[in-house]
């Protein structure tokens, strides 16, 4: 399994590409019956993937396939974004997400510092999940409350009202 580690690391950029394209597709293109734009972006992604795979797999093997996948998902994401850029305020959406990337970075730093706590991989994994999740939830909640001008007392009172 060790050779797969580098492949997975190189493939990581597909996660935000797929997530962003999924939001555009499911929340804008399909509900607004812009299937043509969606199909065009998928065809472009398939052509990019096929071309890169033909060029790189013979020389690079699995890494060539990974590069092809990353480029294909990136091209689908870019294509869909370009197709909706005049209809949606993409810059505004990105501005609202920047802080969550920063919070994710803090969570990553916290997780990396937990790795030396124990030699037991299961214990370390459990701690990473618990501590990383807690850091992200707490910081995201604080940012959300701050950005919506919510006080702790208003949040607590709304929780209490919902339980009644």
């Amino acid at each position: 399994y060790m050779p797969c580690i580098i492949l997975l690391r190189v493939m990581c950029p597909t996660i935000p590409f797929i997530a962003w394209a999924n939001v555009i597709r499911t929340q804008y293109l399909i509900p607004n019956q812009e299937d043509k734009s969606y199909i065009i972006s998928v065809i472009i992604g398939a052509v990019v993937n096929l071309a890169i795979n033909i060029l790189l797999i013979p020389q690079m093997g699995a890494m060539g396939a990974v590069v092809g996948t990353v480029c294909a998902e990136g091209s689908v994401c870019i294509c869909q974004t370009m197709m909706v850029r005049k209809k949606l305020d993409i810059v505004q959406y990105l501005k609202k997400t920047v802080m969550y990337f920063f919070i994710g970075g803090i969570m990553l730093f916290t997780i990396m510092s937990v790795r030396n706590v124990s030699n037991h991989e299961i214990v370390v994994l459990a701690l990473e999940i618990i501590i990383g999740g807690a850091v992200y939830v707490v910081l995201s909640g604080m940012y959300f409350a701050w950005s919506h001008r919510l006080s702790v007392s208003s949040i607590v009172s709304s929780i209490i009202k919902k339980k009644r």
Side-chain angles (χ1 to χ4, degrees):
Y1 295 107
M2 294 306 285
C4 293
I5 292 172
I6 188 67
L7 297 174
L8 287 172
R9 286 184 176 162
V10 173
M11 203 163 184
C12 282
T14 61
I15 296 169
F17 290 153
I18 291 170
W20 181 257
N22 186 36
V23 169
I24 291 174
R25 178 184 72 242
T26 59
Q27 294 183 12
Y28 186 80
L29 292 176
I30 292 174
N32 289 298
Q33 298 176 340
E34 293 195 26
D35 297 344
K36 183 179 176 183
S37 297
Y38 169 62
I39 291 169
I40 289 170
S41 70
V42 171
I43 290 171
I44 289 170
V47 169
V48 167
N49 199 8
L50 182 63
I52 292 175
N53 284 344
I54 289 171
L55 292 172
L56 297 184
I57 288 177
Q59 288 86 22
M60 300 173 67
M63 184 58 76
V66 167
V67 170
T69 300
V70 172
C71 292
E73 292 298 343
S75 67
V76 169
C77 179
I78 291 167
C79 185
Q80 288 181 1
T81 302
M82 297 302 290
M83 290 178 179
V84 300
R85 75 183 186 281
K86 293 180 181 173
K87 300 166 190 158
L88 297 175
D89 189 359
I90 301 295
V91 173
Q92 184 65 24
Y93 290 121
L94 291 175
K95 283 181 181 177
K96 289 182 178 182
T97 61
V98 167
M99 184 55 105
Y100 293 103
F101 283 107
F102 180 69
I103 292 169
I106 294 171
M107 179 188 78
L108 176 64
F109 177 74
T110 306
I111 289 171
M112 299 295 269
S113 64
V114 170
R115 290 204 171 149
N116 299 327
V117 170
S118 174
N119 291 333
H120 297 6
E121 292 180 24
I122 299 295
V123 171
V124 172
L125 178 62
L127 284 172
E128 287 176 344
I129 292 169
I130 292 167
I131 293 171
V135 166
Y136 192 84
V137 167
V138 168
L139 292 178
S140 295
M142 289 170 55
Y143 172 68
F144 181 82
W146 174 82
S147 66
H148 289 81
R149 311 291 190 265
L150 300 174
S151 67
V152 173
S153 60
S154 68
I155 295 170
V156 171
S157 66
S158 69
I159 291 171
I160 291 172
K161 287 178 186 176
K162 286 182 182 180
K163 288 188 177 184
R164 289 183 185 170

